[in-house]
Amino acid sequence: QAQLVESGGGLVQAGGSLRLSCAASGRTFSIYAMGWFRQAPGKEREFVATISPSGGRTNYADSVKGRFTISRDNAKNTVYLQMNSLKPEDTAVYYCAASIGVLATSKGRVDYWGQGTQVTVSS
C-alpha cells in the first residue's frame, strides 16, 4: 500500500511558477504510475498529468500542456509537478495519485491518493 504526501502548494500571482512534490512511502514506488489531479471548488476532480513507472512516458491534460511538467525520481520515491505560467483557473487543490498497471487519466483508475495541497493563483 502506498502513502502519498504532497507539498509545495501556496499562493502565487498569475504568470508565476510553483513546484509540487509528492513523497511516497514504501519500497515499491518504482512500480507505480504516478500522476496529479486537481479539484476546484464546486467542480469534479480532474486529470492534470501522469508519468509511467520508468518516467519514459508522460501524458497531460490539454489545459496544462506546455505549461506544466511532471517528473519523478525513483531513488527518492518522489514525483514532481513543475507549474509555469500559472493562471487563475489553475486554482485548485492538487492531489497526487498512484496507479498500478495503467497511466491513470481518470480518477476511477487511481489506486491511492494523497491528502492534497492547495494552489491559489491570484490575478
Side-chain angles (χ1 to χ4, degrees):
Q1 184 172 354
Q3 291 185 323
L4 310 174
V5 179
E6 302 96 332
S7 61
L11 174 64
V12 64
Q13 288 188 332
S17 298
L18 280 175
R19 188 175 83 152
L20 305 183
S21 299
C22 171
S25 64
R27 295 176 291 179
T28 58
F29 177 75
S30 61
I31 73 170
Y32 293 104
M34 299 298 297
W36 293 92
F37 286 68
R38 66 186 181 186
Q39 188 166 15
K43 294 189 176 182
E44 293 288 320
R45 191 171 299 188
E46 65 176 7
F47 166 73
V48 175
T50 186
I51 188 167
S52 63
S54 68
R57 287 187 295 151
T58 58
N59 193 5
Y60 297 92
D62 288 343
S63 58
V64 306
K65 277 181 183 176
R67 300 188 298 123
F68 290 12
T69 302
I70 189 170
S71 62
R72 66 189 294 162
D73 185 337
N74 285 348
K76 295 182 178 181
N77 282 13
T78 302
V79 62
Y80 305 97
L81 185 68
Q82 178 66 44
M83 305 186 294
N84 298 329
S85 303
L86 282 161
K87 305 175 182 180
E89 51 264 43
D90 294 318
T91 295
V93 177
Y94 283 70
Y95 295 91
C96 181
S99 56
I100 299 173
V102 62
L103 272 66
T105 58
S106 63
K107 56 186 179 182
R109 303 301 298 271
V110 173
D111 294 295
Y112 302 104
W113 294 100
Q115 83 287 352
T117 185
Q118 176 71 46
V119 171
T120 302
V121 184
S122 63
S123 57

